[in-house]
Amino acid sequence: MTVTHRVAVRPSGAEIDVRDGEDLFGAAGRLGYRWPTVCGGKGTCRTCFVQVEEGAENCSPMDPLEREGIEALRRPVDGLTRLACRLRVEGPVTVTKRGVRRRVQE
Ligand code: FES
């Protein structure tokens, strides 16, 4: 059985079940959400960044690329600003990210 952890996204109210080892950006795409991005999840555009509101203790440690990205955004490297394409979770988390919506069905 696949273990998932729920990430609630404000203000859209999206609820994304992220699999163990999967990043938030990838999980959102798998579940049919559009997440702001330019690089498509490579960790270089920083467009995907989120503000962690709850559950920071359930978030994966930052890798050097993500740390660099947060610094480039001129945000504090305090674990509360994260790149969705690098962020893995081990429990429930709530984040704020504007512009996350369900892809329109064609
Ligand atoms: S999607 Fe570009 S840095 Fe995360």
Side-chain angles (χ1 to χ4, degrees):
M1 205 186 80
T2 311
V3 179
T4 61
H5 310 285
R6 176 140 311 173
V7 176
V9 184
R10 295 175 182 163
S12 68
E15 298 204 324
I16 296 172
D17 289 325
V18 182
R19 293 176 180 159
D20 257 349
E22 188 180 37
D23 62 76
L24 174 56
F25 177 84
R30 176 176 56 76
L31 293 168
Y33 287 92
R34 231 163 37 106
W35 196 284
T37 179
V38 175
C39 75
K42 296 193 180 75
T44 54
C45 74
R46 305 161 199 138
T47 312
C48 65
F49 81 89
V50 302
Q51 181 70 26
V52 176
E53 308 291 352
E54 289 164 26
E57 69 280 9
N58 294 327
C59 295
S60 57
M62 269 190 219
D63 64 21
L65 179 66
E66 183 178 9
R67 178 173 292 272
E68 228 174 76
I70 303 303
E71 283 168 0
L73 285 168
R74 300 186 183 284
R75 295 209 160 219
V77 184
D78 56 4
L80 297 181
T81 302
R82 301 294 306 260
L83 298 184
C85 69
R86 313 303 289 181
L87 176 60
R88 290 169 172 74
V89 298
E90 295 176 344
V93 175
T94 300
V95 301
T96 294
K97 180 64 179 172
R98 295 193 176 275
V100 175
R101 352 200 115 78
R102 264 204 184 280
R103 276 196 293 266
V104 181
Q105 302 290 327
E106 287 162 28

